[in-house]
Structure formats: structure tokens, C-alpha cells
Amino acid sequence: MTDHDDHTRIEMEVADSVSAGSWQELLAVLEAADRFGLDVSNAGGRLAWAAIRRNAPVTDDAVRGRTHQL
């Protein structure tokens, strides 16, 4: 975990062999973040990361950039 001025970044190494169920669980956690990704190194390592803004809007719709007109 790394703290920045406007967000916190969380990183996790991803094992070489991951079950389909584990991938689904990881994606479910990542999609709750403001931004996320998977970095793959030339050596074959994989790093999943998520960034959470410090001053994120309160609602899920606002976090995802969706707006609703009444």
C-alpha cells in the first residue's frame, strides 16, 4: 500500500496459476476501486493494483462517473 496526496494505491502480486474463481474474486474487489489494472513484467510477473481517491464522491454512481437526471 502506498499513500499519495490524492489517492492510495494498493498492489498485490498475482500467482502464475490462478483458478477462475480466484480471478472472479479479484475482479470483484478491483471493480470497487476508482482505477485498477494488471501490470505484467517481461520476466512474467503479474501485479494487480487498485487506486482509491481520497476525496471520492459518496455514491457509487458518482464514483463511476455516471450522472442521473431527474
Side-chain angles (χ1 to χ4, degrees):
M1 188 168 75
T2 308
D3 286 322
H4 298 271
D5 289 339
D6 62 344
H7 70 281
T8 298
R9 180 177 166 118
I10 301 167
E11 300 177 350
M12 177 183 136
E13 290 184 29
V14 179
D16 289 337
S17 60
V18 179
S19 69
S22 292
W23 273 116
Q24 289 175 334
E25 288 179 30
L26 176 60
L27 289 174
V29 170
L30 291 175
E31 73 177 352
D34 294 307
R35 292 178 303 184
F36 64 89
L38 180 68
D39 296 333
V40 180
S41 72
N42 289 336
R46 295 183 293 190
L47 181 75
W49 60 269
I52 298 100
R53 292 184 301 181
R54 291 197 183 278
N55 297 317
V58 176
T59 67
D60 288 340
D61 287 340
V63 170
R64 303 264 187 280
R66 290 180 242 150
T67 60
H68 298 281
Q69 295 183 5
L70 300 174

